Amino acid sequence: MAEEFEPKIIAFLCKWCSSAGSDLAGVSRMKYPPNVVPITVMCSGSVSPLYIFNAFQKGADGVLVSGCHPGDCHYIKGNFYARRRIALVKELIEYIGLEPQRFKMSWVSAAEGKKYTKIIQDFVQELKPLGPQKKLRREK
Amino acid sequence: MVNLEEIKKEAKNILEEGKVKYIIGYAKSSNALMAAPTFVKKPEDIDKLIWDPTCFQNLVKFLLDEKRKKAREKEPDIRPVGIFVKGCDSRAINVLLQEKFITREDVYIIGLSCEDLGVLDEKKIFKKLKGEEPEKIEFDQRKNIVISTKEKTIKIPLKEILAERCLECTSSFPVISDVFWGDRNNRSPKEPFKSLEQIESLSQEKKWDFWQQQLSKCIRCYACRSVCPMCYCDECVVDSINLAITADTTAEEKSQKIKWIEKSPESSENFGYHLVRAMHLAGRCIDCSECERVCPVDIPLRLLNKKLEKVAKELFDYKAGLDPEQPSLVSSFKDEDPEDFIR
Amino acid sequence: MKKRTGVFVCHCGINIAGTVDVKNVAEELMKHSDVTHSEDYVYMCSDPGQKLIENSIKEHNLDSVVVACCSPNLHETTFRNCAKAGGINEFQCEIANIREQCSWVHKDKLKATEKAIKITRSTVEHVVKNKSLEPISIPVTRRGLVIGGGIAGIQAALDMANSGYEVILVEKSPSIGGHMIQLSETFPTLDCSQCILTPKMVDVSKHPKIKLLTYSEVQEITGYVGNFKAKILKKPTYVDPDKCTLCDKCVDVCPIVVPNEFDIGLTGRKAIYIPFPQAIPATYTLDIVNCPGLLPIACGKCIDVCEPGAIDYDMKPEIIEEEIGSIVLATGYDLYDKENMKEYGYGKYADVLDGLQFERLLSASGPTMGEVLRPSDHKVPKEVVFIQCVGSRDPELHCAYCSKICCMYTAKHAMLYKHHVPDGQAYIFYIDIRSGGKDYEEFVQRAKEEDGVVYLRGKVSKIFEENGKITVWGADTLAGKDIEINADMVVLATAMRPTKGAEEFAKKLKVSLDKDGFLSEAHPKLRPVESVTSGLFFAGAAQAPKDIPEAVAQASGAAAKAIIILSQDHLFHSPIVAEVSLNLCTGCGMCVDVCPYDALSLKDNKAEVNEVLCEGCGTCSATCLRAAIEVKNITPGQIYEMIDASVGG
């Protein structure tokens, strides 16, 4: 039997809320699939569209950008700029035909280990039926 | 009504008074359907200036060259450059002002309203001519275009061969100018984003098929980038080699150039290039459609930029180039920006 | 140039090694071309573990280190110090989090190991492009600012001044003292509030290190930790305190009477007034909003009678600019607006009072000279109903939080009422009694047992006036029956809210507020007096409802934190800050627009970073279309490589 497809997810987590939230998931020993590799950035506002396109080009099956809830940004308002920028990226990649399920943004606070866990669980479940992301992926 | 004679008179005046260094305008070219950019330096040359629907080029791009030239000169002539601008072109000037690439004193804006018309779409006319070469054109009452070829003369209603962007234009007059001709009537086209509808209505896979087919044609000649008045960076982020090398550029800096996008015209790289370009034009593209016009392989590039123009309008109530004082689309936010896509 | 990176994989006992094959991680990483040395150890954070890293750096001549272990929030500092001890720059050490983000959340050992390898590889990619950096040194202005002159602000100012630092204390009203000076007696000791506070107020006024600015408001704070600049508006009082002899003649002749804020409207005051006898500074204030006009033609009675010529109608608002190193915010609280409490008849019936009004009634210096009398007819109330949680603990309609002090002050109110009116009856409607605190529970029991206060567990459904009485309908949920009390007076323990205008003020100071509008601390447990902006500290009820001892304790805590800054010649700021590539920058200013700290500006048409203001968030970097600005040691070039490593094969 063929092995089940395991999607690769790159998660850009802000250092202060979402990365801390994912730490809390760990501290609380919650379980989620190992498909996600986190890259901790200072702020969701620092996630350039280039990072997202690049992750897809390098073969990510899904990309998550996660920051602090509005009003809770460690950097006061970085996440508001992220919200606008990511909205544009999301609209654009859906418009060119990439499955919308492949790109997500979330607000995860340092206290939301459970929410982070659920987001990853759901993300993996949503990506599995789609199969590998080949549209933007570079030919090797 | 825009009166060419009055424009010429003004052009002559400002040249004679030495108010401007020179004037960038339009003149007839060997291609009957397309006016060519012209640089009028002497008052006696003003008669070559024209103004009609063949003036579709966006001359603002030449301001970028002017700025670079001035930067190289030891004792540059700091007088402004006179420039013919349409509504869309004027918004390009506003974006350049907003981004402080030029200053208001750098330009003397000769604003020309497209009024109820607009400019021609060459490709639409070629289709109508079915391969015949136009030799001469005339405009009849601003309603029709009369085209003569070797074989025949045909009359086409202007509305049929206007550029798509003109049909969807909401402000056909310059929003910034020093002198102005024509009316300032806002247009309210029923469907300002009609050209997007066809793609938007497609399924996810069909959308992909469409863009895959289109973008796989790209030969990465970068004509779109070269013609774009917003593409003025010394070095483009998608280039994989350093262009902006100065005497101070260290070997370390050169080696650190990130290859976000490879130069090879493969599907993934082409998508990478066009996605980055679209993102970088979000809130800046003023829909002059020059990228699409110059594309040698006919990629409908306007539809990429137009999409983000629509998103900016609908989600953030933002339109590029209306106010040089407002911050850019991506360097601003509102508390109430939508976030229903965020979990 | 290749780096010589050392990779150190921690077992954390079985916390990591139980799910991740740590030996395999170390072996795989050894294959990386920049990795010179790689090993695993049972507890890297232990002393021998740290020694191991230190020695390996020397032995293998490493220039950078990756420790694959727990979250960087825990041991990043430990291992950076360790790298320093080994002789390399601390910023050449990065942490790969393979515990919280890997071993603890996965079960499948094979997959967890695979992921741990990716995380560690990604961290190696990060560190190999790290630059050696030195913390940025900033000189400190050794003077403090305290905003708010209530008990918290007073305490903080005194602590800072007594440590030898100059302090500027800014209070928006004409006198310091805050709400505490309005109180009668304080729980659980029944100390007279004024008696214990006024000595501190006098200390403030006499302290050579304290510059007191009353009737003043901070309009703007710019700058950064160690080097703030404050713009303070000093409103004109139209009375020169140095000339004023406090003869009270101006008050006598003033024809204008308005509700007295100090007595929460239970009495009136004149347009020229002294808020209360012990006010600091002891002087009159002419309230320009209510004064008929400063022109002698409009009234001018006060200026006519003022013999020493202390009244000066030409006094102008003054903007005072001060440089300070650290700031304590103690802007206090207000009671929940009575507009919101119509269902309890507050504001409609004269004999329905809020807690502070009742304090004034009880106060020896209050409108009734300490006699408990009904405002409506000045009769002694024989039955008084106290209602707790008015506006608090009501997420649907009012405030979701507990105002914390109401249980205690209501017990006190009931007790003091009984002391004044021994034959009266006090009823308290409550949801729960929260009496945590030293001697607090004993105090509540004393109210019940010695003073016979009747506690009724339940909510009040309706209050209305009937035949000169205030009828209270409620439920006693313990007895399971409805209750009707024909009371003479009702006292509402209304919720504590942040001071009016706090929201606007917070925006000016760029401090964030929590969902209820209280100041948001940097960490709810470990940094309770700090704001996220360094150099800015919180004290008192502005941060959350609290009682006097808590406010005082927090004020001393905040003062200590503020002093930590003032006591240093230089501060050190993280060098993880933005950097501009001048040859790429076009001077568009988009980075300047987005910078949350005003750390960016345009100079000669290029972006310039103020490294002291920059916090390294990188929003500028993502916004820049020219890739002309990036944050040191977390550059797009590093992210590029990290994506590669994270996606893996």
Side-chain angles (χ1 to χ4, degrees):
Chain A
M1 202 183 90
E3 219 177 294
E4 194 185 9
F5 165 65
E6 292 293 349
K8 291 182 205 163
I9 302 170
I10 298 295
F12 294 100
L13 309 180
C14 81
K15 178 182 165 114
W16 304 95
C17 291
S18 296
S19 190
S22 88
D23 277 358
L24 182 65
V27 172
S28 320
R29 308 296 200 278
M30 291 165 184
K31 298 286 180 253
Y32 55 80
N35 305 58
V36 59
V37 180
I39 294 179
T40 299
V41 293
M42 300 299 261
C43 177
S44 56
S46 77
V47 178
S48 157
L50 286 165
Y51 299 177
I52 297 155
F53 301 148
N54 194 249
F56 282 125
Q57 283 195 289
K58 285 174 177 166
D61 300 304
V63 174
L64 170 73
V65 177
S66 189
C68 310
H69 286 268
D72 284 351
C73 181
H74 181 80
Y75 300 107
I76 309 166
K77 52 185 184 177
N79 56 352
F80 287 112
Y81 295 110
R83 181 172 68 181
R84 200 172 251 214
R85 192 166 14 248
I86 299 300
L88 291 166
V89 173
K90 192 152 177 62
E91 293 279 350
L92 180 62
I93 61 177
E94 289 178 27
Y95 178 67
I96 57 111
L98 193 73
E99 298 84 350
Q101 300 93 313
R102 294 199 186 274
F103 180 52
K104 291 201 186 305
M105 183 170 190
S106 61
W107 304 133
V108 172
S109 79
E112 291 177 326
K114 197 170 174 187
K115 181 174 177 186
Y116 181 76
T117 303
K118 188 86 178 73
I119 285 170
I120 300 302
Q121 287 169 343
D122 293 351
F123 203 173
V124 172
Q125 281 316 308
E126 275 183 75
L127 288 175
K128 278 192 174 173
L130 296 182
Q133 184 276 121
K134 290 179 183 156
K135 289 176 178 169
L136 295 180
R137 183 183 188 152
R138 282 182 174 143
E139 304 282 329
K140 284 276 162 70
Chain B
M1 274 292 278
V2 181
N3 182 329
L4 182 61
E5 291 315 308
E6 284 176 25
I7 302 171
K8 285 182 183 169
K9 206 169 133 198
E10 167 73 10
K12 193 167 176 223
N13 275 345
I14 56 176
L15 283 169
E16 277 172 354
E17 288 169 15
K19 228 172 166 179
V20 294
K21 239 195 280 194
Y22 56 88
I23 294 167
I24 314 172
Y26 299 97
K28 281 212 178 313
S29 79
S30 53
N31 174 351
L33 296 179
M34 179 178 79
T38 187
F39 295 74
V40 182
K41 293 180 175 141
K42 296 181 211 141
E44 54 268 34
D45 290 341
I46 51 141
D47 275 331
K48 59 181 179 180
L49 290 170
I50 62 162
W51 172 247
D52 64 32
T54 65
C55 300
F56 43 72
Q57 291 199 34
N58 182 349
L59 304 177
V60 173
K61 182 76 188 178
F62 293 108
L63 292 177
L64 312 184
D65 300 339
E66 167 63 23
K67 162 155 177 161
R68 294 211 168 86
K69 209 172 103 217
K70 220 153 71 178
R72 281 195 302 270
E73 285 168 11
K74 274 205 183 102
E75 281 171 26
D77 181 347
I78 57 157
R79 284 177 299 163
V81 170
I83 183 167
F84 278 29
V85 300
K86 304 183 288 291
C88 44
D89 309 338
S90 77
R91 296 195 297 276
I93 289 191
N94 265 344
V95 176
L96 293 179
L97 289 171
Q98 179 184 35
E99 297 177 1
K100 302 166 193 69
F101 195 72
I102 59 170
T103 65
R104 189 64 185 84
E105 295 71 40
D106 290 337
V107 276
Y108 186 84
I109 304 168
I110 300 165
L112 305 170
S113 173
C114 295
E115 306 193 296
D116 57 337
L117 282 179
V119 294
L120 303 183
D121 182 333
E122 263 187 304
K123 287 172 189 169
K124 281 189 185 173
I125 298 178
F126 283 131
K127 257 189 205 157
K128 299 244 179 204
L129 294 180
K130 299 190 177 85
E132 287 181 53
E133 282 290 314
E135 294 202 321
K136 196 178 137 218
I137 62 162
E138 275 175 335
F139 295 97
D140 158 27
Q141 302 285 328
R142 294 174 58 77
K143 282 209 169 69
N144 301 300
I145 180 170
V146 184
I147 307 177
S148 314
T149 67
K150 275 200 178 96
E151 321 281 317
K152 61 184 181 227
T153 295
I154 58 167
K155 192 169 176 178
I156 310 170
L158 269 171
K159 299 267 176 204
E160 287 178 24
I161 43 85
L162 284 184
E164 283 303 302
R165 73 177 199 272
C166 302
L167 299 175
E168 296 177 353
C169 178
T170 52
S171 48
S172 57
F173 58 89
V175 286
I176 182 170
S177 60
D178 291 290
V179 281
F180 180 88
W181 280 276
D183 68 29
R184 278 195 168 90
N185 295 333
N186 266 316
R187 294 191 197 171
S188 36
K190 275 193 200 106
E191 294 157 304
F193 299 105
K194 186 169 173 49
S195 42
L196 298 177
E197 277 173 14
Q198 197 203 336
I199 302 172
E200 285 175 337
S201 68
L202 296 175
S203 69
Q204 210 65 42
E205 286 315 300
K206 288 272 188 290
K207 276 181 192 154
W208 172 256
D209 291 344
F210 173 81
W211 284 112
Q212 158 76 14
Q213 197 198 0
Q214 292 299 336
L215 294 184
S216 62
K217 294 189 291 190
C218 178
I219 52 171
R220 302 287 285 286
C221 66
Y222 297 138
C224 45
R225 192 171 79 184
S226 303
V227 78
C228 178
M230 295 308 138
C231 279
Y232 58 75
C233 296
D234 286 327
E235 179 175 303
C236 179
V237 70
V238 307
D239 281 326
S240 47
I241 48 162
N242 281 81
L243 297 171
I245 295 175
T246 66
D248 315 322
T249 313
T250 62
E252 193 197 356
E253 276 169 359
K254 282 183 209 166
S255 70
Q256 273 181 355
K257 176 74 189 177
I258 312 162
K259 288 189 167 67
W260 292 112
I261 313 290
E262 299 284 350
K263 170 83 173 120
S264 51
E266 285 163 22
S267 174
S268 169
E269 311 304 335
N270 287 353
F271 268 93
Y273 167 65
H274 288 288
L275 288 175
V276 171
R277 196 177 127 74
M279 277 306 294
H280 280 194
L281 286 173
R284 304 172 68 236
C285 173
I286 44 76
D287 196 13
C288 66
S289 307
E290 288 286 87
C291 47
E292 181 168 317
R293 182 179 67 81
V294 300
C295 180
V297 291
D298 290 338
I299 301 171
L301 289 169
R302 174 174 180 262
L303 297 180
L304 271 182
N305 300 327
K306 196 74 183 169
K307 174 64 185 178
L308 290 186
E309 183 187 326
K310 181 181 174 189
V311 173
K313 180 74 193 147
E314 291 183 349
L315 298 189
F316 310 119
D317 194 25
Y318 187 97
K319 189 168 155 67
L322 289 187
D323 177 8
E325 298 304 319
Q326 72 178 347
S328 302
L329 173 69
V330 293
S331 67
S332 57
F333 68 85
K334 288 183 194 146
D335 287 345
E336 67 274 16
D337 277 353
E339 57 173 30
D340 48 359
F341 66 97
I342 302 173
R343 191 165 156 186
Chain C
M1 207 186 72
K2 287 280 167 213
K3 269 214 170 168
R4 298 181 59 84
T5 306
V7 175
F8 300 88
V9 187
C10 181
H11 299 203
C12 195
I14 57 159
N15 278 311
I16 294 172
T19 344
V20 169
D21 182 346
V22 284
K23 291 224 180 299
N24 185 233
V25 175
E27 279 162 23
E28 280 300 315
L29 265 294
M30 199 56 208
K31 295 177 187 165
H32 192 289
S33 61
D34 284 294
V35 175
T36 309
H37 176 75
S38 172
E39 67 181 300
D40 58 283
Y41 185 70
V42 61
Y43 285 111
M44 282 294 171
C45 63
S46 68
D47 218 41
Q50 292 186 48
K51 265 276 167 299
L52 181 147
I53 297 176
E54 213 180 300
N55 292 337
S56 298
I57 294 172
K58 291 171 186 159
E59 191 183 325
H60 300 281
N61 195 23
L62 304 177
D63 58 10
S64 49
V65 164
V66 167
V67 187
C69 56
C70 53
S71 166
N73 290 335
L74 299 170
H75 277 304
E76 187 175 77
T77 315
T78 312
F79 293 123
R80 285 194 166 167
N81 286 336
C82 196
K84 221 152 92 182
I88 61 175
N89 183 277
E90 62 190 284
F91 293 96
Q92 295 292 357
C93 170
E94 292 289 345
I95 306 299
N97 180 349
I98 60 166
R99 192 179 75 175
E100 284 83 347
Q101 295 182 343
C102 188
S103 72
W104 274 351
V105 286
H106 306 313
K107 286 186 208 149
D108 183 327
K109 192 158 181 175
L110 207 66
K111 285 179 176 167
T113 306
E114 228 174 80
K115 175 171 163 181
I117 292 169
K118 283 183 184 173
I119 292 175
T120 314
R121 249 190 222 141
S122 162
T123 315
V124 169
E125 295 299 346
H126 187 178
V127 89
V128 295
K129 287 199 170 176
N130 266 7
K131 287 181 185 163
S132 293
L133 302 172
E134 293 303 329
I136 300 158
S137 164
I138 333 164
V140 176
T141 307
R142 302 174 84 168
R143 184 188 300 129
L145 170 68
V146 177
I147 304 173
I151 178 59
I154 288 172
Q155 184 65 45
L158 284 173
D159 285 347
M160 287 160 76
N162 287 335
S163 308
Y165 299 101
E166 282 175 38
V167 181
I168 299 144
L169 175 59
V170 179
E171 165 59 43
K172 71 177 173 194
S173 60
S175 169
I176 55 170
H179 283 307
M180 184 176 165
I181 198 70
Q182 295 174 296
L183 307 182
S184 55
E185 287 157 36
T186 54
F187 61 80
T189 51
L190 300 186
D191 281 300
C192 152
S193 189
Q194 294 192 341
C195 312
I196 57 175
L197 180 56
T198 46
K200 280 188 185 286
M201 290 164 60
V202 173
D203 280 354
V204 166
S205 72
K206 297 260 155 73
H207 205 296
K209 295 270 185 190
I210 297 179
K211 178 172 174 184
L212 178 60
L213 296 174
T214 50
Y215 214 42
S216 301
E217 283 174 34
V218 173
Q219 291 204 311
E220 187 183 88
I221 301 274
T222 52
Y224 44 87
V225 59
N227 296 276
F228 292 108
K229 282 198 181 81
K231 229 183 229 173
I232 303 159
L233 167 73
K234 179 144 183 57
K235 293 179 279 186
T237 59
Y238 303 102
V239 179
D240 180 347
D242 295 333
K243 289 186 188 162
C244 174
T245 58
L246 293 170
C247 68
D248 225 28
K249 282 183 186 154
C250 52
V251 177
D252 290 342
V253 297
C254 179
I256 303 297
V257 181
V258 292
N260 185 352
E261 298 86 355
F262 187 69
D263 286 331
I264 311 111
L266 291 177
T267 58
R269 66 159 171 84
K270 297 294 183 67
I272 189 163
Y273 68 110
I274 185 161
F276 50 95
Q278 308 93 322
I280 300 279
T283 184
Y284 297 92
T285 300
L286 197 157
D287 159 15
I288 187 66
V289 177
N290 292 301
C291 174
L294 291 174
L295 296 171
I297 195 167
C299 174
K301 289 197 168 75
C302 53
I303 206 165
D304 287 346
V305 297
C306 184
E307 281 160 15
I311 296 176
D312 174 9
Y313 287 171
D314 294 329
M315 214 180 256
K316 292 277 177 297
E318 206 184 328
I319 298 282
I320 299 169
E321 295 196 16
E322 296 282 359
E323 294 188 359
I324 59 253
S326 56
I327 301 170
V328 175
L329 271 181
T331 48
Y333 72 96
D334 273 325
L335 287 184
Y336 198 43
D337 206 331
K338 65 179 169 202
E339 289 303 306
N340 298 320
M341 299 305 344
K342 287 191 176 130
E343 64 256 50
Y344 289 118
Y346 179 51
K348 187 171 166 195
Y349 308 130
D351 298 328
V352 176
L353 305 179
D354 67 27
L356 274 177
Q357 286 177 317
F358 196 64
E359 292 285 346
R360 295 309 303 146
L361 277 190
L362 292 169
S363 171
S365 67
T368 53
M369 293 307 180
E371 268 192 86
V372 179
L373 300 174
R374 301 197 334 161
S376 60
D377 53 12
H378 295 90
K379 283 186 187 153
V380 175
K382 293 293 180 191
E383 283 191 293
V384 180
V385 171
F386 296 89
I387 304 172
Q388 294 192 174
C389 296
V390 176
S392 307
R393 301 181 67 190
D394 190 347
E396 270 87 46
L397 296 173
H398 303 292
C399 312
Y401 56 87
C402 165
S403 290
K404 201 169 179 181
I405 63 167
C406 325
C407 287
M408 290 310 298
Y409 80 63
T410 304
K412 178 193 75 179
H413 283 169
M415 189 187 279
L416 292 176
Y417 163 70
K418 287 289 286 183
H419 294 179
H420 283 86
V421 188
D423 62 338
Q425 184 57 58
Y427 303 92
I428 298 179
F429 281 94
Y430 70 103
I431 305 179
D432 304 289
I433 299 172
R434 296 182 170 177
S435 54
K438 198 168 176 173
D439 291 333
Y440 285 10
E441 175 58 19
E442 294 91 320
F443 184 79
V444 173
Q445 289 309 323
R446 181 178 148 197
K448 285 184 186 169
E449 288 161 16
E450 290 181 22
D451 297 304
V453 176
V454 175
Y455 271 82
L456 298 163
R457 189 176 198 279
K459 280 207 155 190
V460 167
S461 58
K462 197 174 177 183
I463 291 180
F464 54 97
E465 211 170 35
E466 202 178 40
N467 307 326
K469 292 263 189 184
I470 310 275
T471 303
V472 179
W473 283 357
D476 179 350
T477 54
L478 292 181
K481 60 178 184 188
D482 291 340
I483 290 181
E484 180 179 317
I485 299 170
N486 289 312
D488 297 307
M489 185 186 276
V490 171
V491 180
L492 307 176
T494 35
M496 276 171 111
R497 298 285 306 143
T499 309
K500 287 195 185 80
E503 196 174 337
E504 202 183 316
F505 190 64
K507 266 194 188 147
K508 267 190 224 165
L509 266 62
K510 293 183 192 138
V511 292
S512 48
L513 300 175
D514 65 20
K515 64 183 195 324
D516 301 312
F518 291 103
L519 296 167
S520 199
E521 61 275 16
H523 189 283
K525 294 178 187 67
L526 301 178
R527 298 171 68 191
V529 306
E530 293 164 69
S531 77
V532 289
T533 309
S534 54
L536 235 162
F537 307 100
F538 304 148
Q543 182 246 341
K546 49 177 72 75
D547 61 19
I548 295 167
E550 277 186 319
V552 171
Q554 196 190 19
S556 289
K561 287 284 179 188
I563 292 166
I564 290 175
I565 290 166
L566 302 184
S567 65
Q568 300 177 61
D569 291 331
H570 286 87
L571 290 173
F572 291 98
H573 180 73
S574 164
I576 308 295
V577 293
E579 189 178 27
V580 180
S581 300
L582 291 178
N583 56 337
L584 297 179
C585 177
T586 65
C588 72
M590 282 163 82
C591 56
V592 179
D593 291 342
V594 300
C595 180
Y597 300 96
D598 295 333
L600 288 157
S601 55
L602 290 179
K603 193 184 164 196
D604 301 331
N605 292 323
K606 301 280 178 187
E608 188 180 55
V609 181
N610 179 333
E611 294 196 336
V612 176
L613 288 181
C614 177
E615 293 283 331
C617 71
T619 301
C620 51
S621 165
T623 307
C624 181
L625 305 175
R626 347 277 173 195
I629 189 164
E630 56 189 35
V631 176
K632 290 177 187 171
N633 284 3
I634 179 114
T635 62
Q638 289 175 300
I639 302 284
Y640 179 92
E641 300 295 346
M642 290 168 79
I643 294 171
D644 241 357
S646 301
V647 176

